[in-house]
Amino acid sequence: MTQEEYKEETRRLRPRLLQTARRYISEDDAEDTVQDVLLRLWQMVDTLRMPIDGLATVLVRNFCIDRLRLQRPLQVLTKECEQADETETDERIERVMTMIDTLPTMQQTILRLRHIEGMEMKEIAELTGSTEVAIRKTLSRARQTLKQQYQKRYE
């Protein structure tokens, strides 16, 4: 794709990409996301082929989902912290950490790598020599076990 074709395509696509982004996120974030996508497409301009509508739309959607994922934990943590005083929060953390210690070794490791170290599933899979699917299943089982233990003991 030539630079002129790229410019023409982005002028045509930009309103539709903004509309797609607005379905997921706020107006300001939608503008930023579309800009990020257009930059990513520009970096790939030599390898792009017409039409780029589908690729651009998928990129916008994925970028929006990434933004939402990054925002969500902060919002949840903020609400939790506002609702509970520090000592209550410290007690909850201590309870959960104690319960994590009772999990099988692999579940403990994966849970800590994901939630304490902040590693991605792919990184954990490479580190443990497992597949992402197996990591997701193990993490899900660990979370479920913790939830059940917490409810059983403290609620």
Side-chain angles (χ1 to χ4, degrees):
M1 173 181 280
T2 66
Q3 291 180 6
E4 289 303 315
E5 289 174 326
Y6 172 81
K7 289 177 185 176
E8 189 176 311
E9 279 293 294
T10 55
R11 269 188 238 117
R12 181 181 66 80
L13 281 175
R14 195 170 198 292
R16 187 166 15 136
L17 297 177
L18 274 171
Q19 183 180 15
T20 301
R22 286 183 194 127
R23 283 188 229 147
Y24 293 93
I25 54 180
S26 69
E27 179 72 29
D28 293 337
D29 287 342
E31 289 283 343
D32 291 343
T33 299
V34 170
Q35 283 301 107
D36 291 343
V37 168
L38 293 178
L39 177 62
R40 177 70 57 93
L41 290 170
W42 175 252
Q43 292 169 340
M44 302 174 359
V45 74
D46 294 334
T47 59
L48 289 176
R49 295 190 182 135
M50 299 285 277
I52 62 170
D53 301 39
L55 175 62
T57 303
V58 168
L59 284 174
V60 166
R61 187 186 74 220
N62 290 345
F63 274 57
C64 289
I65 291 170
D66 288 345
R67 276 187 187 268
L68 290 171
R69 284 183 181 151
L70 290 174
Q71 291 173 354
R72 185 169 178 252
L74 295 176
Q75 292 170 351
V76 171
L77 286 176
T78 304
K79 288 178 186 175
E80 286 286 328
C81 290
E82 289 172 357
Q83 292 174 355
D85 61 29
E86 280 187 38
T87 56
E88 187 177 324
T89 302
D90 290 344
E91 288 173 11
R92 285 185 196 168
I93 291 171
E94 190 61 38
R95 289 178 197 160
V96 171
M97 294 306 288
T98 303
M99 288 189 300
I100 289 173
D101 292 338
T102 66
L103 293 173
T105 306
M106 187 58 120
Q107 288 183 5
Q108 283 183 42
T109 303
I110 292 172
L111 197 69
R112 286 186 172 121
L113 289 173
R114 178 71 176 137
H115 294 294
I116 296 172
E117 299 296 324
M119 292 177 73
E120 295 295 323
M121 297 293 186
K122 185 177 182 180
E123 295 171 317
I124 298 170
E126 290 171 3
L127 185 67
T128 60
S130 188
T131 64
E132 282 187 63
V133 173
I135 297 299
R136 289 181 194 284
K137 285 182 181 179
T138 304
L139 183 60
S140 176
R141 288 184 185 127
R143 288 174 181 158
Q144 189 65 32
T145 302
L146 282 178
K147 180 181 175 185
Q148 289 171 352
Q149 285 182 6
Y150 193 89
Q151 288 174 340
K152 190 176 185 179
R153 291 182 187 173
Y154 303 108
E155 291 182 4

